[in-house]
Amino acid sequence: MLKLLLFISLSVLSTLTYAQVVTQQNILQGINPLNSDQLEYEKVIFDRVIYNDSVYSDSRKTELGDQSEINLAFRYHTDENTFARFRMATDPSENRFDNKTSRFEFIFSKQFKNLRFQIDMELLTDDTEDGSDSSGISLGLDLDSDDTLISYAYNKYLFTFYPFNFRSDVGDEFNTLDVTRIHSIDGSPTSINSTPVGDEKIVSKTIPGLEVMYQTGKSSAYIGVGIATYLYPTNGDFDIEDNQSADAWERKETSAIKAGYLYLDNNKTKVNLQYVSHQNTSETGALLKSAASLNTFKRFGDEIFEFEITMSQAGDAPYDVDRASNWFNNQTPFRPIFSDTNGEKQDWISETGFAYSLKIGKNIDNVTPYIGLKYQDEYFIFEGDESAHRLRNSTEELSHGGLTRIAVGAYFYYDNVYFNPQIEHQRAENPVFTNATDLRDDRELSSFEKTNTLLTFSVVYTFDGSSSNQTWWF
């Protein structure tokens, strides 16, 4: 049986009828405004801009423009119960060529008294479903979105059904994204080869489910359950690494749970506890099996403090998937599971890791300088580039071995905008940072270092002024 813990959910609007449990990532995306009093009806509203960029690092030198992350959104409200929203986002996870891949998202939402319908559509500008040379444009459902939902409010309860993704990320400083993202092989091949044959491909999906929230005063708590199907060979001796032969395929099920609790006192105090877990990761190729996070924010006059501890438990057989080809990343030799250059499984698989963050700032007029301290152990897995499955030594046998990060930065506020430059010194126990003067085709021949200094900055604008709400943005 999966364990059940309580964790906090975010309540976006003041009344339960409009309340919606969201995670920090949903706050950043801004589907629902934090300050509904700023809405203007029957008018296109320039919703928000979020711009993050890496300026310079010792390991990669100047990166300005290479690693730019941009979110841009507009919204239109006909009344307090109906709105449409358009968002564009870029996410270069590896190099500047990924900037060509932009995400266009359309949200439509309508509320009828206590019942709300919301749908998330995605615009594909290079749809090749009808053939590699079709290159058409299509508008369809975003099949892994947690913004498609049906919710019903009854007294202090809110029941929400998520048909695609029941919101399974945890953590703010160390966000995991979708804990319940699973994989299966489409095409029912008799043998899984290093390269796909015909229409064979790896299908990635998130687990849908039902969530029940109870809200009273400044506190809210919820639990959720989800279930999804996946394809898997029927023969008991099948093994994705050692025996790739499949006699036949069947449709199997996996289940997930989540729970949480949130205490939110305007912009003074926040306590956010989250937990998500799911089953059968040895068959679904999931990166994570479970994750939990505690995030607290407290204001004492002009001084502000944020503390977070986040746990991740890695999956039992995580697939190393190439997102561009929808197949396994290492084909020669064939290594479907995350492995080092010797073909051995990487050390973080099935392990539990922890990360800690402490941030201290002081509000001085329209400026908030701060210092931050973070530590990640050798097995901690999350979405960031510093994750143990990404930041590894030359042979990929070892992760950073324990990463200490010390940051100094400041938030500069102006109306509905803030600007945040930050410099961070990173020190690892193992040499994992590339040497900018020694980059070779063969990773094992390149030299790596134990330290790195990273300069980043971000700019955030929100139409409703929520960018100045330090509960979410500090």
Side-chain angles (χ1 to χ4, degrees), residues 324-375:
S325 66
N326 292 321
W327 199 248
F328 297 102
N329 191 48
N330 295 311
Q331 300 179 356
T332 308
F334 185 41
R335 295 167 181 164
I337 307 300
F338 280 91
S339 305
D340 59 31
T341 56
N342 297 316
E344 300 295 327
K345 287 184 180 180
Q346 292 184 1
D347 55 357
W348 54 272
I349 295 175
S350 298
E351 298 290 343
T352 299
F354 289 87
Y356 311 86
S357 172
L358 176 64
K359 205 171 174 183
I360 302 173
K362 183 176 177 64
N363 292 322
I364 306 172
D365 295 327
N366 292 326
V367 181
T368 305
Y370 65 87
I371 58 173
L373 176 63
K374 294 180 180 180
Y375 178 78

Side-chain angles (χ1 to χ4, degrees), residues 193-342:
N193 302 307
S194 59
T195 56
V197 179
D199 294 332
E200 294 172 8
K201 60 184 176 181
I202 296 175
V203 176
S204 173
K205 65 189 295 186
T206 49
I207 297 180
L210 177 66
E211 176 185 274
V212 181
M213 183 185 75
Y214 176 81
Q215 184 179 41
T216 176
K218 299 175 182 178
S219 298
S220 58
Y222 72 86
I223 60 173
V225 295
I227 191 167
T229 61
Y230 62 97
L231 299 176
Y232 199 75
T234 57
N235 46 306
D237 60 348
F238 174 83
D239 187 279
I240 190 66
E241 291 183 292
D242 301 323
N243 180 21
Q244 292 97 2
S245 297
D247 298 336
W249 291 72
E250 64 178 324
R251 190 171 294 277
K252 304 182 73 173
E253 289 183 337
T254 183
S255 60
I257 61 169
K258 66 175 185 176
Y261 170 81
L262 172 70
Y263 177 83
L264 182 61
D265 184 7
N266 295 321
N267 61 352
K268 298 178 182 178
T269 306
K270 180 183 72 170
V271 180
N272 188 12
L273 180 64
Q274 303 169 291
Y275 178 78
V276 179
S277 184
H278 63 117
Q279 298 176 321
N280 301 348
T281 60
S282 61
E283 297 180 351
T284 60
L287 181 68
L288 291 174
K289 180 185 297 183
S290 64
S293 182
L294 171 65
N295 178 277
T296 63
F297 172 92
K298 182 63 181 177
R299 182 192 303 274
F300 298 96
D302 292 332
E303 284 76 33
I304 52 178
F305 300 83
E306 184 202 44
F307 173 76
E308 178 171 310
I309 176 173
T310 300
M311 177 277 289
S312 69
Q313 183 180 13
D316 294 324
Y319 289 178
D320 188 0
V321 180
D322 184 336
R323 69 174 186 174
S325 66
N326 292 321
W327 199 248
F328 297 102
N329 191 48
N330 295 311
Q331 300 179 356
T332 308
F334 185 41
R335 295 167 181 164
I337 307 300
F338 280 91
S339 305
D340 59 31
T341 56
N342 297 316

Side-chain angles (χ1 to χ4, degrees), residues 13-24:
L13 303 178
S14 59
T15 63
L16 187 59
T17 301
Y18 298 99
Q20 186 177 343
V21 176
V22 296
T23 66
Q24 177 74 1

